[in-house]
Amino acid sequence: MDWNLYDPGAFHDELISTPGNARAAARGVVSYLRKFTGRHLAMRQRAAETAIQEMGVSFTIYSEGENIDRSWPMDIIPRVIALKEWQRLEEGLIQRLTALNLFIDDLYNDRKIIKDGIFPEEIVLGSKDFLEACIGAKPKYGVWANICGSDLVRDRDGTVYVLEDNLRVPSGVSYMLENRAVTKRVLPQLFRKHSILPVDDYTSQLYDMLSSLSPRAVENPEVVVMTPGIFNSAYFEHAYLAQKMGAELVEGADLVVGDDDCVYMKTINGLERVDVIYRRINDDFLDPETFRADSRLGTPGLFRAWRKGNVALANAPGAGVADDKVVYTYVPRIIKYYLDQDPIIPNVPSFLCVDPQQREHVLANLETMVVKPANESGGYGMLVGPASTKAERAAFAELIQKSPRNYMAQPALSLSTAPTLCEHHIEPRHLDLRPFILQGEGHYVTAGGLTRVALRKGSLVVNSSQGGGSKDTWVVDTEAK
């Protein structure tokens, strides 16, 4: 396999700077991989796929009314980031989540940002994720989104942007951890020769952060992971994180709220008090007493117990108000307002369809735009203009004109690429990165994150539910001895 023939074209490649030349942080990796034939690398790839099957690493997609369980797709050629660049990105991620939590807390309490004319009240009132029931609530440390997954992309000029923030129930961290475990199995020599920052401490950091939210001052708070059940697409992750943290994995029916407005878990020895719930259930289904009355996934009275300070919920109900893709366009102003700082990581230039002038610009340029609904996730419900048909653009134009508040648009970026194994040779594939940020009393950021890859040639859609895959992400200290 001739790496000198690999050419990403006009795109910024994460490993290769120009044909035949690796970027500084990736030189050791590329030098090592050059020694293998395409057939040998393909054998390592098959070994990785076998390991993934043996480890039971899977995800669920929903197709034509069926739940299809699939092995996690992973490419063995890692994505490499230099430590110096990563340290700056880490600062930017902490800055962003700090400001967003101040923003959420303000919206549900004093609303200073609205009173000062920085943020429009109608955007809040038009958000389906703004929960009036949360007004006046005060989670511990003033933090509503304790776990965040912000998606980063790099454009052709090398600039890294935040594409979106995931503040409700962000998923994917278990796949980041398993990608590392699989890569260590199939490319062990690389780990002995390179100073790669570890990611293994994530679950202990998560447990410590969750424990710190306990309303009771006890040495070992009872922390549980609350799942909608085995048919959820991220159930593997729910079970994985519970097992790694030594926490109980529960469903809504396993919990009960007592007359004292405390939450208890049903066990064979009777009821046990629960202090912290890492919930992987959307707000709507969390508590049929407060939200959807037909929900069979939640626990009646759970929201009441949280409001009274008898249990911690991570992430807090209502945090999704800052997960709105229309709110995203205001984040630079939010950072400036609360922290008096400029954003370290910029937003992708964005257009609000609720604004008449910006809407006209979007409608006139749909073929070059990516149009996103405010509250969808997983790559659903959006228009990728350069890959769309005339009929699809016409249909989207109608949707925008019918409900402009629900849409925002961004110019289609030339997402960076990385070498990806395709049978016995390598080809460039587009990718993004989802680091995971924790906030409680302090902050923690994963060293790298989940790199998602658009496995289809030319595709910009990296979501696993839409045919994407993943890579192990290495933050490499090139100056380590």
Side-chain angles (χ1 to χ4, degrees), residues 4 11 14 18 81-82 88 94 97 104 119 159 205 244 268 290 298 319 345 382-384 399 402 421 456:
N4 292 323
F11 302 103
E14 299 291 335
T18 55
I81 304 171
R88 185 66 173 161
I94 290 172
L97 184 56
I104 301 167
F119 189 86
T159 302
Q205 293 282 351
K244 292 292 183 182
I268 56 173
T290 304
I345 313 175
M382 70 181 189
L383 175 80
V384 181
L399 289 171
K402 184 178 179 182
L421 196 59
R456 297 190 184 114

Side-chain angles (χ1 to χ4, degrees), residues 189-383:
Q189 298 89 341
L190 275 173
F191 286 87
R192 289 196 286 269
K193 295 180 178 179
H194 296 83
S195 296
I196 304 162
L197 268 62
V199 294
D200 315 68
D201 64 336
Y202 176 80
T203 50
S204 61
Q205 293 282 351
L206 175 63
Y207 179 79
D208 288 347
M209 184 276 292
L210 292 172
S211 296
S212 75
L213 304 179
S214 173
R216 291 193 300 166
V218 292
E219 187 175 349
N220 295 301
E222 186 69 60
V223 177
V224 303
V225 178
M226 186 180 187
T227 176
I230 60 171
F231 295 112
N232 184 267
S233 61
Y235 181 76
F236 167 82
E237 177 158 295
H238 306 164
Y240 177 93
L241 292 176
Q243 189 266 328
K244 292 292 183 182
M245 290 193 293
E248 295 292 339
L249 181 67
V250 300
E251 296 184 25
D254 298 320
L255 303 177
V256 62
V257 176
D259 294 337
D260 56 357
D261 292 326
C262 293
V263 180
Y264 297 89
M265 175 173 54
K266 301 171 186 175
T267 76
I268 56 173
N269 297 317
L271 297 178
E272 269 188 41
R273 173 88 182 263
V274 172
D275 299 295
V276 183
I277 300 173
Y278 176 23
R279 54 102 176 195
R280 299 298 295 260
I281 294 177
N282 288 335
D283 290 345
D284 284 352
F285 300 97
L286 196 58
D287 180 354
E289 203 177 86
T290 304
F291 303 116
R292 284 186 55 157
D294 62 344
S295 172
R296 296 294 178 267
L297 301 176
T299 304
L302 186 56
F303 184 83
R304 172 168 31 96
W306 174 73
R307 280 298 308 243
K308 293 195 173 183
N310 294 329
V311 71
L313 289 173
N315 287 346
V321 68
D323 201 341
D324 186 309
K325 292 179 179 64
V326 172
V327 172
Y328 160 92
T329 63
Y330 288 88
V331 172
R333 277 175 268 184
I334 289 169
I335 292 172
K336 189 69 175 176
Y337 180 78
Y338 292 106
L339 303 179
D340 194 24
Q341 299 170 0
D342 294 322
I344 294 171
I345 313 175
N347 270 19
V348 178
S350 304
F351 300 92
L352 285 172
C353 293
V354 72
D355 179 280
Q357 193 171 352
Q358 295 182 45
R359 181 168 66 248
E360 287 307 311
H361 176 78
V362 171
L363 291 171
N365 294 278
L366 281 176
E367 69 279 2
T368 65
M369 295 280 184
V370 175
V371 184
K372 301 178 181 179
N375 296 293
E376 290 286 349
S377 61
Y380 291 105
M382 70 181 189
L383 175 80

Side-chain angles (χ1 to χ4, degrees), residues 60-70 380 465:
T60 305
I61 61 171
Y62 305 106
S63 177
E64 298 177 357
E66 293 184 317
N67 299 332
I68 303 171
D69 205 38
R70 290 186 177 171
Y380 291 105
S465 56

Side-chain angles (χ1 to χ4, degrees), residues 106-183:
D106 189 15
L107 288 186
Y108 286 115
N109 289 280
D110 299 326
R111 298 198 181 180
K112 290 179 181 177
I113 196 169
I114 293 173
K115 293 171 185 173
D116 288 343
I118 306 298
F119 189 86
E121 186 174 30
E122 58 270 22
I123 296 293
V124 177
L125 299 179
S127 171
K128 73 178 184 65
D129 289 305
F130 178 75
L131 305 180
E132 288 193 8
C134 291
I135 293 174
K138 283 284 186 183
K140 197 168 183 179
Y141 308 120
V143 175
W144 294 70
N146 304 98
I147 303 104
C148 173
S150 290
D151 293 339
L152 305 181
V153 293
R154 195 194 300 272
D155 203 2
R156 70 170 73 232
D157 64 358
T159 302
V160 174
Y161 295 96
V162 177
L163 185 65
E164 62 181 53
D165 303 289
N166 298 281
L167 302 166
R168 287 174 284 188
V169 281
S171 63
V173 74
S174 62
Y175 302 116
M176 175 196 79
L177 297 169
E178 291 290 52
N179 282 353
R180 177 60 55 88
V182 171
T183 308

